[in-house]
């Protein structure tokens, strides 16, 4: 017996003996001692107690943060600020197999721009799907500013399922935000440009030929995918549209989009002209775009749209004539626009103005109904009077950007970029309530479910642009700093600094953890990117290699602790397509699959089938293995890809082993296995004597253990068959395999037993 197993067995039999002796040791130091030793104040300890989530416990909220230039989404818990996942979206992410397996490559290929692979994204604004304005935890949307794209992440498995490329824009920023029932996702352009496909247009024709736009993507809730054919856009003046938001409640059916540089300045510092930053901030106001999108959708259905690149676009002429697009001045270089939970107000802040402006949707509607316009813009779009549209304005600090809503009525938080502050204020009455310094230069901020109709209050996260001196130095490129703030009281309290060692997050959204219902396994043989059964699904015992249409298809499986097949033979120059199905049903039993000298790299979560296609272009020997430490014999999850030179003649087909087992070895192995079975039986007896069916985790473990025991029985049978033939070599090897499945069974059984012990399972009376 290898020492490992002896140890495993000793552990098996030792379980049940308490760990009492060590349990008290941690409290040798008092809280006071620790505070003194680490120079912590009462306030520090209070903050720590508010964020600390004890081992094994879960967070109350889950945040989804944009990963900026990393092209990903970062998932973390609140209040612990523990990072839980990076969701690969626009960028290949090897450890998830994203951009390496054929299935996810197909998703990235949807994001090709004009036929070109774009393997980078600048994510800014995530949005969680809503039902009646309440987060439902089903989908997440995120935009790419650099290449105008929106991605759909399914929160059932936290995987990216779809990328759509905007058919007319060249860049975007006002996405993704969802309508109250998530039947629409909005995306607004950023830098005006000639519509895609227009080729070269000189900047001298900026006013005439360069355009902005707002796109309304139709989301098919049933399919969980954006329906590109039913989506449409509204042509906008070249004003650099910015952030957007959908109306709700009374303002449902309307959307709002900011803009900056309505001066339509085109730069040219190298020609001696003033720079963009000067040219784009000449006027005191820019324009808020107010859109009746429900009416716009009706117009599209009535055939009033123009097809551009096969996509329905309502031109500005149509918008002006039909009255679906209105402009309202907003203070200098605005940035955020955030609709209140009741849908009656929208708050806009100007980067170069100290004021936050609260617009009244009711006043806006009355002006539109009365056709009370202050004028028209150069494109014939009606302009409403600023003062007449406002509920109030309040000076909140230098460089206000974004606003988030509290669970308490009328209470909001605005990020103050230049002053590095969060200002808490009352937008109904126009009163400052509190100010809190943050570190440093805050961009967005986020309250819990703060852009839904049901903000949850409690916490606020400040997404800061600069970390400067907050963390241990790691070179010139600093981490980002997310600061957790307690907003449950009258005064805000800064609790925690969380470094984000990734791209610069812009916006984040947080949902109550109990609204998320992610799965732990796929139905066996699932292509996770389509959610359908993969045509390459392979069942145990059906592994095969098949040559078809010039491709060598390898139908393989992975399960603790072997990959099947263990030897793949191909001829130099052949195209190989490896399809591996993870046969596990057990939670967290992910396997990997990587082949030396190639980019083949799969992440196989329980039930998943993933593929990788490559050309075996060089004769040689290429080991492959499982990349996840999945089991005691994980290192033995291996195999060889043998690429033979063309016309190669076999020397010998015989394999040679170092060990030759005897009958005595076989008997010893069987004896050992019988003893192990005794241990397993005692664990099974412990579990089944208790109400284990009341513990879903234990039920899953028992299910998995039963599987493993089934495999043990199969190996036992093979071992015995060889013993009958007196083939002691194979009989002993299969005997060892039988034992390995027993160890896995016992391991699972013990995990189940421990869980029952720790969670107060009761002994149940056996029915007689
Ligand atoms: S943005 Cu970056 S701080 Cu893209 Cu919403 Cu405001
Ligand atoms: Cu499977 Cu390691």
């Amino acid at each position: 017996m290898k020492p490992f197993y002896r140890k495993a067995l000793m552990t098996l039999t030792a379980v049940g003996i308490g760990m009492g002796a060590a349990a008290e040791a941690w409290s040798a130091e008092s809280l006071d001692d620790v505070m003194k030793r680490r120079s912590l104040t009462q306030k520090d300890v209070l903050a720590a107690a508010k964020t600390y989530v004890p081992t094994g416990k879960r967070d109350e909220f889950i945040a989804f943060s944009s990963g900026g230039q990393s092209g990903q989404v970062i998932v973390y818990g609140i209040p612990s600020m523990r990072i839980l996942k990076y969701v690969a979206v626009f960028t290949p992410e090897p450890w998830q197999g994203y951009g390496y397996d054929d299935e996810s490559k197909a998703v990235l290929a949807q994001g090709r721009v004009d036929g070109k692979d774009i393997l980078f994204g600048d994510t800014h604004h995530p949005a969680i799907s809503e039902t009646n304005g309440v987060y439902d935890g089903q989908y997440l949307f995120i935009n790419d500013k650099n290449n105008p794209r929106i991605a759909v992440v399914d929160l059932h498995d936290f995987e990216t399922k779809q990328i759509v490329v905007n058919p007319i824009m060249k860049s975007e920023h006002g996405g993704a935000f969802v309508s109250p029932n998530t039947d629409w996702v909005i995306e607004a352009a950023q830098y005006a440009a000639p519509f895609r496909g227009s080729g070269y247009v000189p900047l001298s024709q900026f006013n005439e030929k360069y355009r902005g736009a707002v796109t309304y993507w139709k989301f098919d809730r049933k399919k969980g995918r954006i329906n590109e054919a039913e989506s449409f856009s509204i042509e906008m003046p070249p004003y650099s549209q910015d952030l957007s938001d959908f109306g709700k409640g009374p303002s449902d059916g309307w959307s709002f989009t900011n803009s900056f540089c309505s001066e339509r300045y085109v730069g040219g510092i190298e020609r001696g002209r003033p720079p963009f930053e000067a040219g784009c901030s000449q006027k005191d106001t820019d324009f808020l775009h107010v859109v009746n999108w429900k009416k716009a959708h009706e117009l599209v259905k009535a055939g009033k749209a123009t097809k551009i690149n096969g996509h329905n676009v309502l031109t500005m002429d149509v918008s002006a004539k039909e009255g679906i697009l209105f402009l309202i001045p907003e203070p200098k270089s605005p940035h955020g626009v955030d609709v209140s939970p009741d849908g009656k107000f929208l708050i806009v802040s100007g980067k170069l103005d100290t004021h936050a402006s609260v617009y009244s949707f009711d006043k806006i509607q009355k002006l539109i109904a009365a056709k009370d316009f202050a004028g028209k813009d150069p494109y014939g779009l009606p302009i409403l009077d600023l003062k007449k549209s406002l509920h109030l304005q309040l000076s909140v600090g230098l460089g206000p950007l974004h606003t988030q809503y509290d669970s308490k009525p009328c209470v909001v938080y605005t990020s103050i970029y230049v002053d590095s502050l969060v200002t808490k204020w009352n937008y109904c009455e126009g009163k400052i309530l509190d100010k809190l310094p943050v570190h440093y230069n805050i961009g967005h901020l986020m309250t819990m479910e703060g852009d839904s109709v049901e903000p949850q209050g409690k916490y606020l996260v400040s997404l800061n642009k600069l970390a400067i001196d907050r963390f241990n130095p790691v070179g010139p490129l600093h981490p980002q700093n997310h600061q957790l703030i307690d907003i449950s009281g009258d005064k805000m309290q800064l609790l925690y600094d969380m470094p984000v060692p990734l791209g610069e997050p812009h916006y984040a959204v947080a949902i109550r953890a109990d609204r998320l219902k992610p799965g732990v396994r796929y139905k066996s043989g699932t292509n996770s990117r389509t959610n359908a059964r993969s045509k390459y699904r392979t069942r145990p015992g059906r592994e095969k290699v098949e040559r078809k249409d010039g491709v060598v298809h390898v139908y393989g499986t992975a399960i603790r602790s072997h990959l099947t097949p263990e030897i793949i033979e191909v001829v130099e120059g052949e195209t190989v397509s490896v399809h591996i199905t993870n046969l596990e049903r057990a939670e967290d039993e992910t396997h990997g699959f990587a082949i030396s000298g190639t980019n083949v790299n799969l992440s196989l979560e329980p039930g998943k089938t993933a593929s990788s296609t490559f050309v075996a272009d060089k004769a040689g020997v290429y080991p492959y293995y499982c990349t996840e430490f999945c089991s005691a014999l994980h290192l033995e999850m291996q195999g060889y890809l043998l690429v033979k030179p063309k016309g190669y003649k076999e020397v010998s087909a015989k394999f040679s082993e170092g060990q030759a087992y005897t009958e005595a070895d076989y008997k010893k192995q069987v004896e050992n296995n019988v003893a192990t079975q005794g241990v397993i039986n005692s664990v099974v007896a412990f579990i089944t004597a208790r109400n284990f069916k009341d513990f879903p985790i234990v039920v899953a473990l028992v299910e998995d253990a039963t599987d493993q025991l089934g495999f043990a029985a199969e190996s036992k049978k093979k071992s015995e068959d060889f013993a009958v033939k007196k083939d002691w070599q194979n009989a002993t090897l299969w005997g060892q395999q039988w034992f390995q499945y027993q160890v896995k069974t016992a391991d699972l059984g013990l995990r189940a037993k421990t869980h029952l012990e720790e969670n107060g399972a009761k002994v149940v009376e056996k029915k007689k």
Side-chain angles (χ1 to χ4, degrees):
M1 220 192 306
K2 288 189 195 167
F4 169 80
Y5 292 117
R6 220 173 292 136
K7 222 170 111 201
L9 274 178
M10 273 158 58
T11 325
L12 297 188
T13 41
V15 166
I17 302 170
M19 337 180 290
E24 302 304 317
W26 68 273
S27 54
E29 234 181 345
S30 74
L31 183 58
D32 281 343
D33 294 338
V34 176
M35 286 172 65
K36 216 173 278 161
R37 178 163 60 78
R38 301 198 60 220
S39 310
L40 299 175
T41 64
Q42 285 275 346
K43 222 177 134 200
D44 294 334
V45 173
L46 189 64
K50 285 182 179 186
T51 65
Y52 180 63
V53 174
T55 175
K57 296 285 190 303
R58 312 256 177 107
D59 278 299
E60 187 180 357
F61 295 96
I62 301 296
F64 295 86
S65 171
S66 81
Q69 312 90 326
S70 77
Q72 305 159 324
V73 168
I74 308 159
V75 185
Y76 61 81
I78 292 175
S80 77
M81 309 303 270
R82 296 182 296 195
I83 293 180
L84 301 169
K85 191 163 213 168
Y86 295 129
V87 181
V89 182
F90 295 109
T91 317
E93 189 62 61
W95 68 276
Q96 309 175 9
Y98 191 71
Y100 293 82
D101 63 56
D102 294 348
E103 291 78 3
S104 60
K105 276 184 185 168
V107 176
L108 283 168
Q110 295 168 15
R112 281 187 187 142
V113 174
D114 298 329
K116 201 186 272 177
D117 277 325
I118 303 287
L119 300 178
F120 152 77
D122 185 10
T123 57
H124 278 233
H125 306 110
I128 293 173
S129 58
E130 299 175 5
T131 301
N132 297 321
V134 177
Y135 285 180
D136 58 34
Q138 292 177 10
Y139 296 96
L140 182 89
F141 305 87
I142 186 130
N143 70 322
D144 170 11
K145 170 169 165 153
N146 183 52
N147 287 284
R149 304 183 291 181
I150 298 277
V152 181
V153 175
D154 189 338
L155 294 180
H156 179 73
D157 59 1
F158 286 52
E159 280 200 352
T160 303
K161 306 291 176 174
Q162 185 186 24
I163 297 175
V164 292
V165 181
N166 194 287
I168 54 174
M169 300 172 187
K170 297 273 177 66
S171 67
E172 63 97 270
H173 191 237
F177 302 93
V178 298
S179 62
N181 275 309
T182 321
D183 29 13
W184 297 93
V185 182
I186 197 171
E187 179 178 37
Q190 180 101 91
Y191 306 112
F195 283 150
R196 278 175 51 192
S198 310
Y200 172 72
V201 180
L203 278 165
S204 56
Q205 296 174 24
F206 189 86
N207 294 351
E208 302 78 39
K209 299 269 178 68
Y210 284 53
R211 289 291 175 264
V214 174
T215 298
Y216 299 84
W217 292 104
K218 176 78 183 132
F219 185 62
D220 184 333
R221 289 295 302 242
K222 271 216 196 95
K223 289 192 179 139
R225 300 289 185 273
I226 285 170
N227 180 333
E228 296 181 67
E230 278 188 41
S231 305
F232 68 95
S233 295
I234 298 178
E235 180 194 30
M236 295 283 173
Y239 294 160
S240 295
Q241 280 75 31
D242 200 31
L243 283 166
S244 303
D245 205 359
F246 271 107
K248 49 191 138 195
S251 54
D252 187 19
W254 292 74
S255 69
F256 312 93
T257 298
N258 277 332
S259 66
F260 61 92
C261 203
S262 59
E263 292 85 356
R264 295 180 289 171
Y265 192 69
V266 298
I269 192 168
E270 58 293 305
R271 299 177 193 185
R273 284 162 51 83
F276 265 115
E277 60 203 271
C280 283
S281 51
Q282 302 167 60
K283 297 197 302 168
D284 283 336
T285 56
D286 289 286
F287 288 121
L288 173 66
H289 302 50
V290 178
V291 181
N292 184 341
W293 64 265
K294 275 213 174 132
K295 189 169 170 192
H297 184 222
E298 293 303 319
L299 294 173
V300 172
K301 283 197 284 186
K304 298 263 164 89
T306 304
K307 286 268 184 202
I308 301 178
N309 300 328
H311 173 74
N312 282 316
V313 180
L314 290 173
T315 61
M316 287 192 284
D317 291 349
V318 175
S319 296
K321 189 163 145 246
E322 301 282 349
I324 57 163
L325 171 56
F326 307 89
L327 304 173
I328 314 178
E330 44 185 6
K332 226 168 171 148
S333 297
H335 191 44
V337 51
D338 296 282
V339 175
S340 63
D342 62 9
K344 292 182 182 166
F345 299 98
L346 34 144
I347 299 178
V348 171
S349 307
K351 303 187 288 280
L352 299 180
D353 188 277
T354 61
H355 291 93
S357 305
V358 185
Y359 291 81
S360 155
F361 183 72
D362 188 50
K363 287 186 181 175
I364 292 170
Q365 287 305 296
K366 287 192 175 129
L367 291 174
I368 291 172
K371 294 206 160 66
D372 182 353
F373 301 133
K376 276 186 186 169
D377 87 332
Y379 302 94
L381 299 169
I383 301 172
L384 311 188
D385 183 75
L386 170 62
K387 286 237 165 67
K388 288 184 187 170
S389 312
L390 281 179
H391 170 61
L392 57 81
Q393 281 183 316
L394 183 70
S395 182
V396 290
L398 205 57
L401 298 184
H402 301 284
T403 295
Q404 284 272 289
Y405 294 84
D406 199 340
S407 54
K408 299 169 196 123
C410 297
V411 175
V412 283
Y413 303 85
T414 297
S415 55
I416 313 293
Y417 177 81
V418 179
D419 283 343
S420 289
L421 287 176
V422 173
T423 298
K424 176 180 180 179
W425 55 290
N426 179 315
Y427 70 91
C428 300
E429 294 164 23
K431 258 192 346 219
I432 301 284
L433 302 173
D434 190 21
K435 287 188 178 185
L436 181 79
V438 289
H439 316 86
Y440 300 89
N441 297 91
I442 176 174
H444 273 273
L445 71 185
M446 152 181 78
T447 52
M448 306 301 99
E449 304 194 351
D451 55 17
S452 75
V453 301
E454 267 181 16
Q456 303 283 313
K458 295 190 179 180
Y459 303 103
L460 178 140
V461 176
S462 165
L463 285 73
N464 305 319
K465 298 299 177 194
L466 302 180
I468 307 183
D469 54 8
R470 306 307 282 188
F471 304 113
N472 298 63
V474 288
L477 182 58
H478 288 48
Q480 316 295 324
N481 187 11
H482 285 198
Q483 289 187 300
L484 180 69
I485 296 163
D486 177 357
I487 55 167
S488 56
D490 288 340
K491 292 280 167 202
M492 294 178 274
Q493 187 198 351
L494 181 57
L495 299 180
Y496 189 70
D497 283 18
M498 175 214 200
V500 179
L502 211 67
E504 177 200 329
H506 288 258
Y507 190 36
V509 286
I511 182 172
R512 256 169 45 195
D514 61 9
R515 296 199 208 268
L516 290 169
K517 304 266 183 287
V520 297
R521 66 180 69 83
Y522 293 104
K523 259 200 212 144
S524 180
T526 298
N527 171 345
S528 66
R529 302 295 162 176
T530 61
N531 295 0
R533 175 165 282 174
S534 168
K535 60 178 172 183
Y536 303 116
R537 171 202 188 197
T538 306
R539 284 187 284 175
R542 306 281 178 84
E543 297 88 353
K544 62 178 177 189
V545 175
E546 197 177 76
R547 283 178 165 75
K548 208 181 155 196
D549 304 327
V551 179
V552 186
H553 288 277
V554 178
Y555 293 81
T557 60
I559 191 159
R560 285 157 290 165
S561 302
H562 52 264
L563 293 161
T564 310
E566 295 183 342
I567 299 162
I568 302 171
E569 284 181 296
V570 302
V571 178
E572 184 180 21
E574 281 190 305
T575 299
V576 184
S577 195
V578 180
H579 317 287
I580 310 283
T581 298
N582 180 347
L583 298 174
E584 306 281 356
R585 287 191 291 167
E587 184 165 356
D588 205 12
E589 278 302 338
T590 294
H591 297 285
F593 182 83
I595 305 180
S596 168
T598 68
N599 278 311
V600 175
N601 169 44
L602 307 176
S603 173
L604 301 153
E605 295 80 56
K608 192 190 247 188
T609 296
S611 307
S612 186
T613 304
F614 61 99
V615 178
D617 50 7
K618 202 162 184 291
V621 173
Y622 304 90
Y624 54 83
Y625 69 103
C626 167
T627 56
E628 286 259 348
F629 207 112
C630 52
S631 51
L633 291 177
H634 148 79
L635 294 175
E636 288 78 353
M637 268 187 96
Q638 57 167 343
Y640 286 102
L641 167 69
L642 305 171
V643 183
K644 298 182 196 169
K646 279 184 195 131
Y648 178 76
K649 287 249 163 46
E650 216 57 73
V651 188
S652 160
K654 252 184 130 187
F655 298 162
S656 51
E657 259 106 18
Q659 179 88 21
Y661 287 117
T662 62
E663 183 174 4
D665 293 322
Y666 170 71
K667 288 212 167 125
K668 212 163 116 204
Q669 184 66 48
V670 171
E671 202 180 298
N672 167 65
N673 294 6
V674 170
T676 308
Q677 193 57 47
V679 177
I680 293 173
N681 293 347
S682 73
V683 175
V684 170
F686 179 93
I687 295 168
T688 52
R690 282 161 181 79
N691 58 332
F692 76 96
K693 289 193 177 145
D694 297 339
F695 300 87
I697 290 175
V698 174
V699 171
L701 287 168
V702 167
E703 215 176 68
D704 189 21
T706 309
D707 283 353
Q708 299 295 333
L709 212 49
F711 300 135
E714 284 169 26
S715 297
K716 179 170 183 264
K717 171 92 188 13
K718 284 182 181 155
S719 169
E720 287 164 356
D721 288 350
F722 278 112
V724 168
K725 287 185 243 165
K726 297 198 188 305
D727 179 345
W728 305 119
Q729 175 72 5
N730 281 312
T732 311
L733 285 173
W734 280 109
Q736 288 171 357
Q737 183 66 21
W738 160 22
F739 176 67
Q740 281 162 25
Y741 286 121
Q742 289 182 314
V743 170
K744 283 169 211 158
T745 309
D747 173 51
L748 290 159
L750 288 172
R751 259 197 275 164
K753 182 171 179 263
T754 308
H755 188 89
L756 291 177
E757 285 167 343
E758 286 177 354
N759 291 280
K762 289 188 203 67
V763 175
V764 285
E765 293 289 322
K766 280 255 164 66
K767 275 183 210 130
K768 297 246 162 101

